[in-house]
Amino acid sequence: MADRAAVGRLLFVHSRRRWSFCLGWRTKLLRERKTDPQPPQSEMMEDCLSKKIEITVSEAEKRTGRNAMNMQETYTAYLIETRAVESQTEGQCSPPDSLWRRYSEFELLRNYLLVNYPHIVVPPLPEKREGGWKEMVNETGFQLKAESRLKALNATFRVKNPDRRFTELKHYSDELQSVISHLLRVRARVADRLYGVYKVHGNYGRVFSEWSAIEKEMGDGLQSAGHHMDVYAASIDDILEEEEHYADQLKEYLFYAEALRAVCRKHELMQYDLEMAAQDLASKKQQCEELATGTLRTFSLKGMTSKLFGQETPEQREGKIKVLEEQIHEGEEQLKSKNVEGREFVKSAWADIERFKEQKNHDLKEALINYAVMQISMCKKGIQVWTNAKECFSKM
């Protein structure tokens, strides 16, 4: 159940709160890519806004099949159901469209979203426990846009003017991951000890049952008290199962920390490319100025070559200046484009980060409150068991 809920959240649908996600034009584009020309952007956005879809992962089942190596394997398939939001608001109850997808296809979808929407905090997938659609998505070429890990690492250490907000966000994601990790470890230790305490209470039931066999007046009371102790010992299994559900909600935000860092890394890469483009443009402008004036400001191989083999002819110099001027013009346009792209990325990313923070506060508050309510209920059940045992003892 936890796996299905987390997969559902990847599709922007939570079991307790439903979000709509504009997938209409994207789904249509993937389905008709080979046969129909791509519609204009305005038409796609209109289609997106007018056909919002509610998506749920409603069922999961184990299946057996053969993989690419012709070896038999067992895997989990998830049933995805989609329904138009408009039909519900208008009072119509149209049957949902449905299809089955494997975990690996959810991974492919998430990678596609990460590459094509780098400013979005893409929800994480649950841990894996356990093709025609794949080809369509792969044909969009999204994997070609993915940045290499080496380039990302290089950008992290060589960006000269990092955005303070994204730097703080990256530090926050590290701290959030650390805090939730510690919280989950504490919960696991408490749950382990609590399991032992509850199961040991089963010994009360065994002892009271054995004792009742040798008593006449007290026998019935001891037997009933032993029954209550057995029920108390067995109740820990359901308690821990419910507690695991809340732990999974916390664990989801443990993985969200990596999604935040992915947005920060993308911004670092864009800032690094911007700085490299500005540096290259400044270098070309300096070369053009040196050729025009005939003076060299810094030591260079070109200066040594000129001294050894003589100066260039005016025609050669003019030709190089013309090439550099064209490159400078292209560089200025490229720098302007990167600046615009960077500003749009920051604006879109920060809007989604603010949305993420609001949703995170709501989710974690809800999970912690429900966990506290569960603990209170558990204690009340323990009090009730001992109250019943007291009544049994009183009737002896």
Side-chain angles (χ1 to χ4, degrees):
M1 289 297 295
D3 283 357
R4 290 210 304 273
V7 171
R9 284 191 288 273
L10 172 66
L11 295 173
F12 304 91
V13 179
H14 191 278
S15 58
R16 296 187 180 181
R17 59 190 182 283
R18 298 180 183 273
W19 306 329
S20 54
F21 181 50
C22 301
L23 272 180
W25 69 266
R26 177 67 61 183
T27 307
K28 183 177 179 182
L29 176 62
L30 291 176
R31 190 185 301 121
E32 301 177 355
R33 184 176 180 86
K34 292 186 177 180
T35 58
D36 294 343
Q38 184 172 348
Q41 183 69 22
S42 59
E43 293 182 12
M44 291 193 297
M45 291 305 297
E46 183 180 357
D47 194 19
C48 169
L49 294 173
S50 64
K51 294 185 179 179
K52 295 182 180 178
I53 299 177
E54 183 183 87
I55 308 171
T56 56
V57 180
S58 58
E59 187 179 341
E61 69 177 27
K62 292 286 186 180
R63 293 184 177 182
T64 302
R66 293 191 175 275
N67 57 22
M69 302 296 294
N70 201 30
M71 298 177 62
Q72 189 168 343
E73 62 175 357
T74 301
Y75 60 90
T76 302
Y78 300 90
L79 178 62
I80 306 170
E81 294 184 343
T82 63
R83 190 191 304 270
V85 175
E86 284 75 4
S87 64
Q88 298 182 33
T89 57
E90 295 173 1
Q92 301 175 0
C93 187
S94 58
D97 295 323
S98 62
L99 74 166
W100 292 89
R101 292 296 182 212
R102 295 183 57 173
Y103 185 92
S104 59
E105 292 172 315
F106 282 98
E107 289 180 315
L108 182 62
L109 171 61
R110 186 173 188 275
N111 291 335
Y112 175 85
L113 295 175
L114 282 171
V115 173
N116 286 276
Y117 304 94
H119 57 279
I120 297 296
V121 183
V122 181
L125 280 171
E127 296 174 289
K128 189 172 183 180
R129 298 173 184 173
E130 50 188 308
W133 183 82
K134 289 184 179 181
E135 285 71 19
M136 285 188 179
V137 176
N138 284 325
E139 283 180 7
T140 63
F142 78 94
Q143 292 173 321
L144 300 177
K145 303 177 186 177
E147 304 287 354
S148 68
R149 289 183 178 272
L150 181 61
K151 185 177 180 182
L153 184 64
N154 190 40
T156 300
F157 290 103
R158 296 188 63 180
V159 170
K160 296 178 182 178
N161 300 305
D163 190 311
R164 180 177 57 84
R165 294 174 298 175
F166 284 93
T167 302
E168 291 175 354
L169 179 65
K170 187 161 64 171
H171 291 161
Y172 168 76
S173 67
D174 293 336
E175 292 170 358
L176 177 66
Q177 189 173 41
S178 176
V179 168
I180 294 181
S181 296
H182 290 317
L183 183 61
L184 289 171
R185 282 197 290 268
V186 170
R187 187 212 69 84
R189 288 197 297 267
V190 171
D192 185 58
R193 295 185 182 183
L194 192 64
Y195 181 83
V197 170
Y198 267 71
K199 288 303 181 182
V200 167
H201 276 72
N203 293 333
Y204 280 130
R206 178 177 55 80
V207 172
F208 286 150
S209 180
E210 293 174 355
W211 191 1
S212 68
I214 62 174
E215 299 287 350
K216 293 183 178 179
E217 292 81 3
M218 298 171 56
D220 291 341
L222 290 172
Q223 185 71 30
S224 298
H227 171 72
H228 288 302
M229 292 297 106
D230 290 337
V231 171
Y232 183 69
S235 66
I236 188 60
D237 296 322
D238 293 334
I239 291 172
L240 291 183
E241 183 177 351
E242 183 181 359
E243 188 176 293
E244 190 67 25
H245 169 70
Y246 301 121
D248 284 340
Q249 291 181 333
L250 293 176
K251 191 182 293 184
E252 179 183 356
Y253 278 91
L254 184 69
F255 299 137
Y256 256 119
E258 177 58 30
L260 286 174
R261 285 195 291 269
V263 176
C264 295
R265 282 196 299 269
K266 180 61 180 179
H267 178 263
E268 286 175 346
L269 282 167
M270 296 181 71
Q271 181 65 23
Y272 177 71
D273 288 342
L274 177 65
E275 292 178 0
M276 290 297 100
Q279 182 178 329
D280 184 61
L281 179 61
S283 175
K284 283 184 169 57
K285 286 183 176 180
Q286 181 179 337
Q287 292 177 33
C288 188
E289 183 181 349
E290 290 173 352
L291 283 172
T293 59
T295 58
L296 297 177
R297 295 183 181 180
T298 57
F299 174 81
S300 65
L301 180 61
K302 178 185 174 184
M304 291 296 297
T305 304
S306 299
K307 290 182 179 181
L308 290 173
F309 300 103
Q311 294 290 336
E312 298 172 325
T313 63
E315 291 78 9
Q316 291 176 326
R317 190 180 298 113
E318 287 296 328
K320 289 186 177 182
I321 290 175
K322 186 176 181 180
V323 171
L324 282 172
E325 287 177 346
E326 292 176 357
Q327 292 177 349
I328 289 171
H329 177 72
E330 293 176 358
E332 288 175 342
E333 293 296 324
Q334 184 181 13
L335 186 61
K336 186 186 299 183
S337 174
K338 288 184 179 295
N339 271 310
V340 172
E341 183 183 0
R343 287 194 295 269
E344 290 179 351
F345 176 87
V346 171
K347 181 180 178 181
S348 301
W350 213 250
D352 192 65
I353 288 167
E354 291 300 324
R355 178 206 58 78
F356 163 78
K357 288 180 179 179
E358 183 178 349
Q359 191 67 53
K360 178 212 65 177
N361 294 341
H362 177 274
D363 290 350
L364 293 182
K365 177 182 176 181
E366 181 183 37
L368 293 172
I369 289 175
N370 289 336
Y371 182 75
V373 169
M374 187 210 70
Q375 294 290 338
I376 294 170
S377 175
M378 178 181 67
C379 293
K380 287 181 178 179
K381 289 178 181 177
I383 293 172
Q384 186 61 48
V385 165
W386 282 105
T387 301
N388 294 338
K390 176 187 172 184
E391 292 178 356
C392 293
F393 296 148
S394 300
K395 293 177 181 178
M396 289 192 303

